[in-house]
Amino acid sequence: MEDNTAARNHIHSNPAFDISVMEGGSKFFDDDGRPKRTGNVMTASAHIITAVIGSGVLSLAWAIAQLGWVVGPVVMVMFSIVTYYTSCLLVACYRDPVTGNRNSTYSAAVKNHLGGFMYKVLGIVQRINLYGITIGYTITACISMVAIRKNACVHKHGEGKRCLINSNPYMIAFGVIEIILSQIPNFDKMAWLSTVAAIMSFTYSGIGLALGIAKVAEIKTIKGSLTGVTIGVQVTQTEKIWRIFQALGDIAFAYSFAIVLIEIEDTVKSPPSEAKTMKTASKISLSVTSIFYILCGCLGYAAFGDLAPGNLLTGTGFSNPSWLIDIANAAIVIHLIGAYQVFSQPFYAFVEKKAAQLYPDNHFITKDIEIMSYKLNLFKVVWRTLYVISTTLLSMIFPFFNGVVGFLGALGYWPMTIYFPVAMYIAQKQIPKWSTRWVCLQVLCLSVLVIALLAAVGSIVGVVESLKDYKPFMTST
């Protein structure tokens, strides 16, 4: 699931509707009494682009290096086509075909189309995904902080000096920041968060793209091969296979945004129908995003060839001009500090609501302590602190950008982008079992499931291989 702060914030931006203000008429309110929506094709496209483009773009050069000049771009185009198709299925489920009522969230659409059991399954998938994403964000932010520190070290001691830096203090620092921010009530309602996230996301992605163009122009040659990394030179045959699978997960992670597509659709005015607007918006945004992704991935591969790094802006990636690299990495850190909260807040709210329902008379859980003008809830403080500590510890144990990104992509792409949209569409349209269309949709679903499972296994193998040379809490990079 990519860094979708702008779209997700919409869930919390509209005030609850008060029936007493309906006298304002249809000029201010929609058919269901909620505030009038003003979104259109361009605003929806902007939300989707902001939701899609994020830190996943940094691993695409490495992914293409594993697949080669032929298969790499083809796979990215195929992911784009499949994502667009299932997005069209998903947006068609926004309104109930019988009552015409709107499903304002992804979970509401699943509950109304597939029932309570699948709604609970979705909840589990979402929360596992959210937890995993916050781990991924901690790792990515730490890598960028270490890269900035390394740049400073190299400038101070010269290019020949090897600067070994332990990443643990930076992960701990990131965790401390998140513990503090997690105590701010209603953090997810801060409208500026989406704006900052969007600016930072385009800053580091744009810098990566520009540096790729500059590097290729400088070396005046295009590196890489038709089949990717060479067996017997960079990797063994087995490693090549696992890396191909992991690359699929990295690409899937870059295209994971379906979880907020219904929320984006809920911002679109009607008429024309929301589904029609969203299909056009999906086509525009995925075309723009795919071109951007292919350019970033291909230019990165052209610049570094089979030795393309897992993260273009750190390690063996771009190193000059150092000030520009520092700006890009700082943008990543700032982006992910806020994005972590956006993805952890729903998890916080779920646990706190459940705890209050199960133990309504427990003062530790339900009672607020007033300190000056601030209301402090001890359960929230302890629970949110433990959550951040757990993600920080796991990040310190498994600080591997590519492996974690690939695994998260495999974990989130299939259920959210493929399975639930297909299942809801079949239920809504009442497509007969074993009909040609039903079979085609099932084949699509099963095919992507196989790819997702292979990507997950490949990513796990990648992490296991990395652990052979890594000592948790001790190794410096």
Side-chain angles (χ1 to χ4, degrees):
M1 187 160 35
E2 222 9 298
D3 310 328
N4 39 34
T5 53
R8 182 174 290 278
N9 273 337
H10 171 74
I11 305 170
H12 308 282
S13 63
N14 288 335
F17 175 69
D18 182 353
I19 195 71
S20 64
V21 296
M22 277 192 68
E23 295 172 0
S26 60
K27 182 180 178 181
F28 302 102
F29 300 98
D30 274 323
D31 52 358
D32 59 356
R34 286 189 286 170
K36 197 80 172 178
R37 296 164 296 161
T38 58
N40 53 37
V41 170
M42 295 314 297
T43 60
S45 298
H47 278 312
I48 294 173
I49 291 171
T50 303
V52 178
I53 294 177
S55 58
V57 71
L58 302 174
S59 67
L60 293 179
W62 182 89
I64 290 183
Q66 313 314 309
L67 301 169
W69 278 120
V70 176
V71 178
V74 170
V75 167
M76 292 188 70
V77 171
M78 291 303 298
F79 264 97
S80 180
I81 292 171
V82 169
T83 302
Y84 169 69
Y85 177 70
T86 56
S87 294
C88 290
L89 301 184
L90 180 57
V91 298
C93 299
Y94 176 66
R95 283 193 180 268
D96 187 290
V98 179
T99 64
N101 292 337
R102 291 154 51 191
N103 296 304
S104 58
T105 64
Y106 193 114
S107 56
V110 170
K111 188 173 186 178
N112 290 333
H113 284 90
L114 302 178
F117 175 75
M118 293 309 297
Y119 172 73
K120 291 179 180 178
V121 172
L122 172 69
I124 294 170
V125 171
Q126 282 182 317
R127 283 182 281 278
I128 292 174
N129 223 344
L130 293 173
Y131 186 73
I133 286 171
T134 52
I135 293 172
Y137 284 176
T138 303
I139 294 169
T140 309
C142 171
I143 290 172
S144 290
M145 286 189 281
V146 169
I148 294 172
R149 180 68 184 86
K150 273 191 175 181
N151 260 351
C153 176
V154 169
H155 270 281
K156 184 177 180 180
H157 300 289
E159 291 286 346
K161 176 71 175 179
R162 189 184 179 193
C163 297
L164 290 177
I165 299 170
N166 193 310
S167 62
N168 292 332
Y170 296 91
M171 287 201 184
I172 293 171
F174 185 83
V176 169
I177 292 171
E178 296 304 339
I179 287 174
I180 295 170
L181 292 179
S182 68
Q183 309 308 324
I184 299 175
N186 302 320
F187 186 92
D188 50 8
K189 290 184 180 178
M190 293 183 181
W192 55 266
L193 190 62
S194 291
T195 305
V196 172
I199 293 172
M200 295 299 106
S201 182
F202 278 102
T203 297
Y204 63 74
S205 299
I207 289 174
L209 178 59
L211 289 173
I213 295 171
K215 182 78 171 180
V216 172
E218 178 190 339
I219 62 178
K220 294 182 174 61
T221 186
I222 295 177
K223 294 184 178 182
S225 62
L226 296 178
T227 57
V229 293
T230 308
I231 296 173
V233 180
Q234 283 94 11
V235 293
T236 65
Q237 185 172 2
T238 303
E239 287 174 337
K240 169 83 171 179
I241 294 171
W242 292 128
R243 283 192 176 195
I244 287 173
F245 294 156
Q246 185 177 328
L248 295 176
D250 285 3
I251 295 172
F253 181 79
Y255 279 100
S256 297
F257 71 98
I259 193 171
V260 293
L261 199 58
I262 294 289
E263 283 83 349
I264 294 173
E265 189 169 6
D266 198 43
T267 68
V268 173
K269 62 184 177 183
S270 179
S273 72
E274 297 91 351
K276 183 178 180 180
T277 300
M278 288 302 294
K279 285 178 183 178
T280 304
S282 296
K283 185 185 295 184
I284 293 171
S285 56
L286 281 171
S287 297
V288 171
T289 302
S290 295
I291 292 170
F292 185 80
Y293 275 179
I294 291 170
L295 283 173
C296 285
C298 289
L299 285 168
Y301 185 41
F304 294 101
D306 292 346
L307 298 178
N311 185 325
L312 275 180
L313 296 174
T314 60
T316 58
F318 298 115
S319 57
N320 286 302
S322 60
W323 62 269
L324 189 60
I325 304 298
D326 284 347
I327 289 174
N329 280 303
I332 293 172
V333 175
I334 294 169
H335 180 194
L336 297 182
I337 284 173
Y340 182 105
Q341 287 300 315
V342 171
F343 282 90
S344 58
Q345 286 286 338
F347 206 152
Y348 295 159
F350 169 77
V351 171
E352 288 155 13
K353 183 179 178 182
K354 280 291 181 185
Q357 288 174 346
L358 291 172
Y359 306 102
D361 299 323
N362 190 312
H363 287 183
F364 175 71
I365 294 174
T366 59
K367 188 177 180 180
D368 291 333
I369 301 173
E370 194 162 337
I371 301 176
M372 298 180 71
S373 60
Y374 181 76
K375 290 184 177 180
L376 186 70
N377 182 286
L378 291 178
F379 175 71
K380 287 183 179 180
V381 171
V382 173
W383 146 240
R384 295 184 181 200
T385 300
L386 289 176
Y387 177 96
V388 176
I389 289 173
S390 69
T391 60
T392 304
L393 284 175
L394 285 172
S395 300
M396 292 166 71
I397 296 171
F398 305 107
F400 312 115
F401 178 77
N402 273 91
V404 172
V405 164
F407 183 72
L408 292 175
L411 188 70
Y413 185 80
W414 179 77
M416 306 305 300
T417 307
I418 307 297
Y419 174 74
F420 283 112
V422 168
M424 283 193 287
Y425 187 77
I426 289 173
Q428 185 194 71
K429 301 299 182 182
Q430 297 182 341
I431 299 173
K433 208 171 186 179
W434 303 112
S435 64
T436 303
R437 195 172 192 186
W438 185 89
V439 170
C440 289
L441 287 170
Q442 296 300 331
V443 168
L444 170 66
C445 200
L446 289 173
S447 299
V448 180
L449 173 60
V450 171
I451 292 171
L453 291 174
L454 292 174
V457 173
S459 300
I460 292 170
V461 170
V463 170
V464 171
E465 286 296 315
S466 299
L467 280 172
K468 290 180 180 179
D469 301 318
Y470 177 81
K471 295 179 181 178
F473 311 112
M474 294 176 64
T475 302
S476 298
T477 58

